Amino acid sequence: MFQIEDIAQMVQAYMGETIYLPIFLCCLLFCYCTGKETSRKRMLLSALLSIVLVFNNFSMRMIGKVTDIITYYRFLWAVPILFIIAYTVTKSIYGHKKPLDKAVAIGFALLLFLGWGSSFLTESCRWFPENKYNLPSETIAICDMIAQDKSTERPVVAFDMGTQLSARLYDPSLVWAIRRTAYTQHNDTEGYGSAGKYRPDKILIHAVNYGMQGEPKRLSHALSKKKVDYLVTFTSYGMDAYLEGLGYPLLGRCGEKSVYAKALPE
């Protein structure tokens, strides 16, 4: 039941190869050894409850039924990992009274952080946002284009996977034509036999995420069933003529993406 390897893989899938978990466990051990008896009891009780209620495969499966297993990392990072690490480092530094001892402790902490491949102090992890929204400029341009063209308050948009999440953050009025669960479970080029209730979603995934060029009747049916107003896909797929034949002429281009709008009846 308690397979920590699966949970560690889930964290790595989100954070990449990281040493945060081992360091976090070391910090917990440090706090336990140096803390008072009451603090030790609370920490031990919290650890046991976490193992029983959260960090096990049964909980992962149950959470997966409510949302999807990919989001399980949120429960893990709900534990104040960074705060515990920061507290431990701070305590180790201010626990020394001599300036030289403090300088050595600070130097050791910096070397520790700089030695991590995924540390926020390494050069590869330092970056500045493109704009005040901290979203790709391409996504913002796409959303603005749709906002200027839309004829309904909440248009339904079939986004490629990379644009979908960031677009919703910028403009919550946009409705996803492709459900998140469909993207997490059926984002591939295989057939539709195993898609079940996500069959229309998977057809749209084939179109916007992989550049579908055949099966126009199948795609037309999915567009109608999902009541799609706009499609966003990669320009390199060359779908202008194909989608125009289905009643979705080109609206415009933003960076590497093309936006197609449903033709209004004359």
Side-chain angles (χ1 to χ4, degrees):
M1 180 178 176
F2 304 112
Q3 297 183 25
I4 195 65
E5 294 85 358
D6 292 345
I7 298 169
Q9 289 175 5
M10 191 65 64
V11 175
Q12 290 176 358
Y14 176 67
M15 291 290 294
E17 293 295 331
T18 178
I19 200 171
Y20 275 118
L21 284 179
I23 293 297
F24 172 64
L25 295 176
C26 290
C27 290
L28 285 180
L29 182 62
F30 175 83
C31 293
Y32 180 82
C33 294
T34 60
K36 296 180 180 179
E37 184 176 355
T38 304
S39 300
R40 292 181 180 181
K41 290 181 179 179
R42 290 176 180 173
M43 186 170 295
L44 184 60
L45 179 61
S46 299
L48 291 175
L49 288 175
S50 297
I51 292 173
V52 173
L53 300 178
V54 181
F55 303 125
N56 58 76
N57 285 354
F58 176 76
S59 293
M60 287 182 68
R61 289 195 297 269
M62 294 304 296
I63 293 167
K65 292 181 181 297
V66 177
T67 56
D68 57 79
I69 295 179
I70 299 299
T71 62
Y72 185 77
Y73 68 86
R74 296 180 182 178
F75 286 83
L76 189 63
W77 292 101
V79 179
I81 291 180
L82 292 178
F83 294 101
I84 291 293
I85 295 175
Y87 168 78
T88 305
V89 173
T90 303
K91 185 176 181 180
S92 64
I93 292 173
Y94 283 93
H96 299 282
K97 296 182 179 180
K98 296 181 179 180
L100 181 60
D101 293 342
K102 288 187 177 182
V104 171
I106 293 173
F108 176 77
L110 287 175
L111 288 174
L112 183 65
F113 278 98
L114 290 172
W116 295 357
S118 60
S119 170
F120 48 83
L121 293 180
T122 56
E123 186 176 355
S124 61
C125 295
R126 293 197 298 268
W127 59 279
F128 296 95
E130 296 182 38
N131 47 65
K132 65 180 181 180
Y133 303 103
N134 194 17
L135 295 172
S137 299
E138 182 182 67
T139 299
I140 294 175
I142 290 171
C143 293
D144 289 342
M145 182 185 297
I146 293 174
Q148 293 174 7
D149 180 77
K150 67 181 183 181
S151 56
T152 59
E153 185 177 351
R154 293 179 60 80
V156 180
V157 187
F159 289 105
D160 65 278
M161 188 174 184
T163 307
Q164 179 157 301
L165 289 175
S166 55
R168 187 68 175 272
L169 292 173
Y170 180 73
D171 188 352
S173 69
L174 301 178
V175 179
W176 289 348
I178 303 171
R179 287 167 284 188
R180 179 173 181 173
T181 307
Y183 253 135
T184 57
Q185 296 181 5
H186 301 286
N187 184 24
D188 53 59
T189 57
E190 297 178 1
Y192 311 105
S194 62
K197 65 179 181 180
Y198 299 113
R199 187 184 182 91
D201 301 72
K202 187 159 188 176
I203 296 170
L204 294 178
I205 290 174
H206 280 193
V208 298
N209 228 36
Y210 296 99
M212 183 179 188
Q213 294 287 351
E215 303 179 303
K217 290 184 179 180
R218 191 188 297 272
L219 179 56
S220 178
H221 177 73
L223 291 169
S224 176
K225 185 175 180 63
K226 302 291 289 189
K227 299 179 180 180
V228 177
D229 297 304
Y230 298 90
L231 295 98
V232 178
T233 186
F234 292 90
T235 303
S236 60
Y237 291 154
M239 300 181 67
D240 293 4
Y242 175 72
L243 289 176
E244 186 171 2
L246 295 176
Y248 288 82
L250 177 68
L251 177 63
R253 305 194 196 279
C254 299
E256 298 179 351
K257 307 291 175 60
S258 293
V259 182
Y260 302 89
K262 184 178 182 180
L264 297 176
E266 297 181 358

